[in-house]
């Protein structure tokens, strides 16, 4: 199956990812019902696709290669960011697959709300760590320490 995002740039994937995360946040503000869960499925499918495409584009483009060439001591932080991205994709797939469980709607909705709420918080923390890494590099270059 060919991705809808083939040929897109990492920034487009990032933008789509955060638009979809915003949709999920909005849906979680209300309690999920059967109709909301049906709408949630394609949102999660699109989000998984965007995140996987973004990760693939970053790997192919060597997003961090230049950074590590100049600042090799950051390899552990970069590896952590990349591992987090992979774990976020894996856990989101797991949450998506959990929607198909055959359990009472009230319990399913509560499980989805809790799991996605936790996932959104992890995604936000991951984004902050990635931004701090890039800011640290930028400030080091500007400060003349690099």
């Amino acid at each position: 199956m060919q991705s809808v995002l083939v040929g897109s740039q990492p920034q487009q994937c990032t933008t789509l990812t955060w638009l979809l995360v915003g949709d999920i946040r909005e849906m979680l503000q209300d309690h999920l019902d059967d109709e909301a869960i049906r709408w949630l499925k394609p949102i999660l499918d699109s989000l998984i696709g965007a995140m996987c495409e973004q990760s693939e584009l970053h790997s192919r483009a060597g997003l961090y290669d230049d950074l590590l060439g100049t600042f090799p001591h950051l390899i552990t932080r970069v590896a952590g960011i990349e591992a987090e991205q992979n774990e976020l994709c894996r856990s989101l797939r797991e949450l998506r697959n959990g929607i198909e469980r055959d359990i009472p709607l009230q319990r399913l909705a509560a499980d989805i709300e809790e799991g996605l709420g936790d996932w959104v918080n992890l995604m936000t923390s991951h984004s902050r760590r990635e931004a701090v890494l890039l800011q640290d590099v930028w400030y080091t270059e500007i400060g003349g320490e690099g």
Side-chain angles (χ1 to χ4, degrees):
M1 182 172 127
Q2 187 171 356
S3 170
V4 175
L5 299 174
V6 169
S8 63
Q9 299 299 311
Q11 185 58 44
Q12 291 170 320
C13 292
T14 301
T15 300
L16 178 59
T17 294
W18 284 106
L19 287 171
L20 294 168
V21 169
D23 289 345
I24 291 170
R25 281 183 180 148
E26 192 173 309
M27 292 177 82
L28 292 175
Q29 289 177 355
D30 300 320
H31 289 290
L32 297 176
D33 59 13
D34 191 39
E35 182 179 346
I37 291 172
R38 275 194 309 275
W39 279 102
L40 189 58
K41 290 176 187 180
I43 291 172
L44 291 175
D45 290 341
S46 296
L47 180 55
I48 290 166
M51 289 181 67
C52 290
E53 183 80 11
Q54 177 182 3
S55 182
E56 183 181 319
L57 287 168
H58 282 184
S59 294
R60 232 183 322 164
L63 177 69
Y64 294 111
D65 289 351
D66 287 341
L67 179 144
L68 291 174
T70 306
F71 305 101
H73 65 281
L74 295 176
I75 193 163
T76 303
R77 285 177 67 187
V78 168
I81 296 291
E82 290 174 336
E84 284 177 359
Q85 178 73 19
N86 291 333
E87 178 58 22
L88 284 164
C89 288
R90 188 208 58 77
S91 63
L92 188 60
R93 277 192 188 102
E94 189 176 290
L95 287 168
R96 169 58 179 94
N97 292 337
I99 291 176
E100 305 301 333
R101 291 179 299 162
D102 188 22
I103 61 174
L105 177 63
Q106 188 174 13
R107 181 170 161 218
L108 178 63
D111 289 352
I112 292 169
E113 288 173 7
E114 179 181 359
L116 280 177
D118 291 345
W119 185 89
V120 167
N121 289 336
L122 289 171
M123 179 70 174
T124 303
S125 296
H126 166 76
S127 180
R128 279 191 207 115
R129 278 189 290 282
E130 186 174 31
V132 166
L133 171 67
L134 296 175
Q135 285 175 346
D136 288 350
V137 168
W138 189 75
Y139 289 141
T140 300
E141 286 182 337
I142 296 297
E145 298 173 25

